Amino acid sequence: MLEILISLLALAVGAGFIGAISGLGGGVFIVPALVIFAHMPMQVAIGASLISVVATSAGASVAFVRDGWTNLRVAMVLECATVTGAVIGAYLAGVVPTIVLELLFAAMMLQSAYFTITKKGDDILTKGDPVAERLGLGGEVPDETGQLVHYEVTRVPEGGALMVVAGLMSGLLGIGSGALKVMAMDYIMHVPLKVSSATSNFMIGVTAGAGALVFLARGDVATTIAAPVAIGVTAGALAGSRVLAHLKVESLRIVFVIILLLIAAEMGWRAMSGI
Amino acid sequence: MAKQEEDRILRVWTPILLRTILIAAMVVLVTGLVLTYTYAPGYYVERYDAVRQGHLIGKETFGLLIDHIREGNPHAILTIGLFVLTLVPLARVAFCFLLFIRERDYAYVAFTAYVLAGLIVGVLVGSVG
C-alpha cells in the first residue's frame, strides 16, 4: 500500500505544484497524470481531480480574498453561470464516451496553451455597462505606482455565456477551467488581469464543487484515489504558491506551453488510437 | 449597510471559513489514510486494483456510511473527509446568502440562492443519474 500511496502523492504534489506556478490550476495536470502514469480510467481521474480542485481553490483563495484582489461580486454573479454549466457537464461526464472526453481535454489544453501565450495587459474602463454599474461590479486595483485605480466592468451577459462553457468543461473534464474564466473576465468584461486570476481562482471552488457533488452522489468518486490526490495536490499547490514569489514565471511560460501541447498530443493520440 | 461594509465582512469572514473547513477536511483525510495504512492496507490495495479496472463501489447511502464508521472501517473516514471538502463551497455560498438576506441586498440574495440551488440540484442529479 505504501508504494501506491507514495506514487499517487508524488503525482498529485507535482500536478499541484505545476498548476500553481503556471496559474492554470492542478486539475489540468492531475487528470492526464492519473490517466497516463497511474493508468486510471478517465472518469476516475475526473472525479478525483474535481475534489482536489475544490481544495486548491479554497487554499489559494484565502490570501487573494483577504488582500482584496478577488472581486467577490463579479464572482457571485458569474457563479450562477458556471454552476449551471458544471452540473450539466458532470451529468454528461457519466454518459459521454471516453474518446469524446479525451478529445475535449486535448482541445482544452490547446486553449490553455493559447491563453498562456496571448495573456494581455490591463485595459481599465472608467465607465461600465448599466447592468454592471447597477450590480456594483466595479472595484479598485493598484497601478504600477501603487496608487488605487477604479475600474468598471462591461458585457456581463457575454462573459456569463462563456462562463457557462467554462462550467460545462469543468464538470465534464474535472478541471477548474481557469484559463477560460480568466479569458471571459479579462478579454470580454475588461476586469484587470490579476483581479481576473484571483476571482477565477475563487470561483473555481464552487464550479468544481458543483461537479464534485454530482460525482459523489452518483458514487463515481473512488475514495482510494481521491483522498491521497486531494492531499497531494493541496500540498503541491501550497508549495507552488510559496515558490511563485521567487520565480521568474515569464521565463517559464514556454515550458508550460510545451507541457500543455504534449498533454494535448498524448490525450488526442489516446482518443484516436482507442487506448 | 453600505456596499463597502458588506465587502469588508465578506473579506474578513470568507477566508476564515474557507481555511477552517479546508483544514478540517485535510485532518480527516490524513487520519483516514493513516488508519487505512495501519488497519486495512490489504483492502486499500484491493480497491486500488479494482478502481484501475473501472470497478467503483457505487452509491453509498449516508446511513450505510455511518454504519461503516461505527464498524471502525477506516475507508469510511476517507469518504467523510471528501464530503467535508465539498462543504467548502456550500458553506461559503450559504454564508454570503445569509449576509445578503440580513442586509436586504435582494439582487445578491437571488444570485447566491441560485448558486445554492444549483449545488443542491447537483446532488439530486447525481443521486438519480
Side-chain angles (χ1 to χ4, degrees):
Chain A
M1 177 184 165
L2 193 59
E3 280 173 22
I4 295 171
L5 270 185
I6 290 171
S7 60
L8 284 176
L9 282 169
L11 282 178
V13 169
F17 186 84
I18 300 173
I21 60 171
S22 64
L24 295 169
V28 166
F29 299 102
I30 194 62
V31 172
L34 287 174
V35 170
I36 296 166
F37 300 115
H39 308 293
M40 287 294 159
M42 188 78 178
Q43 271 82 357
V44 170
I46 291 171
S49 173
L50 279 172
I51 298 272
S52 64
V53 169
V54 172
T56 52
S57 163
S61 293
V62 169
F64 287 137
V65 173
R66 192 188 52 214
D67 298 343
W69 285 106
T70 309
N71 188 322
L72 294 165
R73 287 172 188 271
V74 166
M76 278 178 253
V77 172
L78 294 178
E79 275 167 0
C80 295
T82 61
V83 163
T84 305
V87 172
I88 297 169
Y91 171 74
L92 290 177
V95 292
V96 168
T98 302
I99 181 174
V100 177
L101 295 178
E102 286 171 340
L103 284 174
L104 275 175
F105 202 97
M108 284 300 289
M109 293 301 96
L110 293 177
Q111 185 271 331
S112 296
Y114 172 76
F115 172 71
T116 305
I117 295 170
T118 60
K119 266 186 205 174
K120 64 183 181 78
D122 292 338
D123 184 10
I124 287 175
L125 293 182
T126 51
K127 178 100 181 88
D129 68 19
V131 177
E133 288 195 357
R134 199 174 313 138
L135 293 172
L137 296 183
E140 285 180 331
V141 65
D143 63 11
E144 297 86 19
T145 61
Q147 288 280 328
L148 284 179
V149 178
H150 186 81
Y151 66 86
E152 280 297 340
V153 174
T154 188
R155 295 165 73 191
V156 181
E158 291 93 327
L162 192 51
M163 287 294 174
V164 175
V165 179
L168 195 68
M169 290 300 128
S170 177
L172 257 176
L173 306 173
I175 58 176
S177 296
L180 260 185
K181 287 190 176 93
V182 176
M183 276 183 101
M185 283 184 274
D186 180 29
Y187 288 22
I188 297 176
M189 297 169 65
H190 288 262
V191 177
L193 183 60
K194 189 161 179 186
V195 177
S196 297
S197 299
T199 307
S200 156
N201 211 308
F202 184 72
M203 291 171 62
I204 280 171
V206 165
T207 317
L213 284 169
V214 176
F215 270 71
L216 270 171
R218 199 165 51 205
D220 274 358
V221 173
T223 312
T224 320
I225 313 302
V229 163
I231 295 168
V233 171
T234 308
L238 284 175
S241 58
R242 292 268 163 92
V243 172
L244 190 58
H246 310 287
L247 276 180
K248 285 185 180 163
V249 181
E250 285 303 304
S251 58
L252 289 173
R253 199 183 273 200
I254 190 70
V255 178
F256 301 141
V257 170
I258 291 169
I259 294 173
L260 290 167
L261 292 177
L262 284 174
I263 294 172
E266 170 70 20
M267 296 305 266
W269 182 77
R270 292 177 86 86
M272 304 314 269
S273 60
I275 286 179
Chain B
M1 188 190 287
K3 177 193 164 197
Q4 285 82 357
E5 180 58 10
E6 267 179 16
D7 287 353
R8 190 193 64 77
I9 294 173
L10 288 172
R11 293 203 185 284
V12 171
W13 287 100
T14 308
I16 294 172
L17 198 68
L18 294 176
R19 185 180 285 172
T20 306
I21 304 177
L22 180 62
I23 291 172
M26 286 297 143
V27 168
V28 176
L29 286 174
V30 171
T31 306
L33 272 185
V34 170
L35 291 175
T36 304
Y37 178 68
T38 310
Y39 297 109
Y43 178 73
Y44 183 91
V45 176
E46 194 183 301
R47 285 299 321 146
Y48 178 83
D49 290 335
V51 168
R52 267 180 127 179
Q53 306 302 319
H55 304 305
L56 289 161
I57 291 178
K59 283 177 192 161
E60 208 168 11
T61 63
F62 200 69
L64 198 62
L65 197 60
I66 299 295
D67 287 345
H68 285 160
I69 291 174
R70 279 200 191 126
E71 290 160 10
N73 181 344
H75 211 74
I77 297 173
L78 293 178
T79 309
I80 292 286
L82 296 180
F83 273 112
V84 174
L85 203 49
T86 57
L87 281 181
V88 176
L90 263 174
R92 194 262 283 169
V93 179
F95 169 72
C96 296
F97 174 68
L98 293 174
L99 176 75
F100 291 129
I101 284 183
R102 200 185 76 167
E103 303 308 327
R104 298 180 186 180
D105 192 339
Y106 294 117
Y108 282 89
V109 169
F111 290 132
T112 48
Y114 181 90
V115 175
L116 268 182
L119 292 170
I120 293 163
V121 167
V123 176
L124 298 176
V125 166
S127 303
V128 298

